[in-house]
Amino acid sequence: MPSPFRVGLGHDTHRLEPGNGLVLGGVMIEHDRRAVGHSDADVLLHAITDAILGAAAIGDIGELFPDTDPANRGRDSADMLRVAAARVAEAGWRIENLDCVIFAQRPKILPHRAAIRQRVAEVLGIDTDAVWLKAKTGEGVGPIGRQEAIAAECVALLAQDS
Ligand code: CDP
Ligand code: ZN
């Protein structure tokens, strides 16, 4: 019998440049840098999108929303996540929980954790308790530590929706 549970992993990186804020988990955070990307460059929502799509084995974010398609330029990542979540639900899966990590030297993410968890849960229509978020600096080394990049990872657990 196939397993009633599936795990998925998502990872994403965006380049940083001087600017006026980051969108993380659908929440605008004041900062002296911005993330560069074809969409709104929400690295956390992109990692979450790939985690749930991977768990359901139905593609990845680049396949669903190619960056060659002008329709995806500046697109709201929450909108892409909603579409991905709908596909996951159509495939017969329910999101049990997400556990995420943001890799950023700055800004401090913890003060924004509650707002981000709430927003992600709202976009997915799941309990805030089912979304956890952590953050790590780059310890001052590498592209994360030098604030040249921001990254995020997410693991998602899906359960068969019977
Ligand atoms: O202490 P350790 O080296 O394990 O981790 P760190 O990268 O120095 O981060 C220490 C703590 O700061 C993390 O556990 C988070 O609680 C917080 N943090 C944060 O709020 N925002 C970041 N961008 C990075 C870390
Ligand atoms: Zn991305």
Side-chain angles (χ1 to χ4, degrees), residues 80-136:
M80 295 194 279
L81 178 56
R82 261 186 229 103
V83 171
R87 300 275 182 95
V88 167
E90 278 162 27
W93 299 102
R94 183 182 72 239
I95 299 169
E96 280 292 309
N97 77 300
L98 307 175
D99 189 19
C100 310
V101 189
I102 291 175
F103 301 83
Q105 189 64 35
R106 292 175 51 249
K108 280 286 178 203
I109 302 300
L110 243 51
H112 305 283
R113 183 169 64 194
I116 293 172
R117 291 178 61 211
Q118 199 177 342
R119 178 71 184 135
V120 169
E122 189 181 283
V123 168
L124 291 170
I126 61 177
D127 283 355
T128 307
D129 281 354
V131 181
W132 195 249
L133 174 63
K134 300 179 287 293
K136 301 300 277 188

Side-chain angles (χ1 to χ4, degrees), residues 12 14 42-43 46:
D12 194 30
H14 281 263
D42 189 328
V43 72
H46 295 176

Side-chain angles (χ1 to χ4, degrees), residues 6-71:
R6 298 279 293 236
V7 67
L9 171 66
H11 179 103
D12 194 30
T13 304
H14 281 263
R15 194 162 52 77
L16 294 174
E17 64 177 25
N20 56 359
L22 296 168
V23 186
L24 289 171
V27 174
M28 184 69 193
I29 294 172
E30 270 186 48
H31 192 41
D32 55 9
R33 302 181 79 75
R34 65 184 284 270
V36 181
H38 191 72
S39 67
D40 61 5
D42 189 328
V43 72
L44 179 60
L45 291 192
H46 295 176
I48 293 171
T49 303
D50 264 354
I52 64 170
L53 289 172
I58 54 171
D60 68 43
I61 190 168
E63 278 181 300
L64 260 65
F65 310 100
D67 61 9
T68 47
D69 184 345

